[in-house]
Amino acid sequence: MIRSLLLLIVFASASSAGEFNKVLAIGDVAPEWKNLPGTNGKNHSLADLKDKDVIVVAFTCNSCPYAVAYEDRLVQFAKTYCGESAKVALVAINVNTIKDDSMPEMKKRAEKKKFTFPYLLDESQEIAKMFGATTTPEFFVLDKNRKVVYMGAFDEKTTPQPGETNTEYVSLAVKAAETGTPAKKAETNPRGCKIRLNRAKN
């Protein structure tokens, strides 16, 4: 009886998460961030984006070469889909706490790359834990009801060769969310550097 109950608990826990994400599943309501400082000198919350129909959350940083390699793609994505009058928003969040990922360095990076989207710092690292994010870069697409409709990699290939097709998972998920239809590929395995989670202090 006890063994059966334990197996049921384990199964229920496993079924409540995704294939690659061990915390969230597709269809879950996204965790909410509040008052995270941004490189623009302002604090940002999820509630600030109440007028947006789709939100893309990108966990990224300065120090990971994979994350750096995707910066131009994020800039282009923002140009294509985002803007004050657009119904899609992109938010980048950094949770690493080493010097290279500090706010002063983030500001330099945002200015150099001309980020037009919020680049936020969460030194507590709690938002990454609540999202189950483990990698930079790692992406989550939220629909109008702030449910997760996609999570994983930005696209199929980090370094596509000339002439190769590169399925853009995030863009496809955004287009699906705009029409209220499920993404054909709702979860993929993110590629990049492991998020530098700090050890809990005793």
Side-chain angles (χ1 to χ4, degrees), residues 20-22 57-61 63-68 70 93-96 128-129 131-140 151-154 158 188-197:
F20 303 108
N21 189 305
K22 303 309 177 187
V57 181
F59 286 92
T60 187
C61 67
S63 61
C64 170
Y66 288 92
V68 171
Y70 270 90
I93 301 177
N94 174 23
V95 302
N96 288 340
K129 294 174 185 176
F131 268 88
T134 60
T135 305
T136 53
E138 186 168 349
F139 299 85
F140 297 79
M151 52 188 180
F154 185 81
T158 304
T188 60
N189 194 10
R191 306 176 304 272
C193 308
K194 289 296 183 184
I195 289 176
R196 302 167 185 262
L197 290 177

Side-chain angles (χ1 to χ4, degrees), residues 1 15 23 39 62 64 73-74 86 89 99 111 118 120 123-124 131 133-134 139 174 177 194 197 199:
M1 178 68 177
S15 63
V23 175
T39 55
N62 295 345
C64 170
R73 288 182 227 189
L74 293 187
K99 183 179 178 181
E111 182 177 357
L120 315 181
E123 292 183 297
S124 75
F131 268 88
T134 60
F139 299 85
V174 167
K194 289 296 183 184
L197 290 177
R199 293 184 178 181

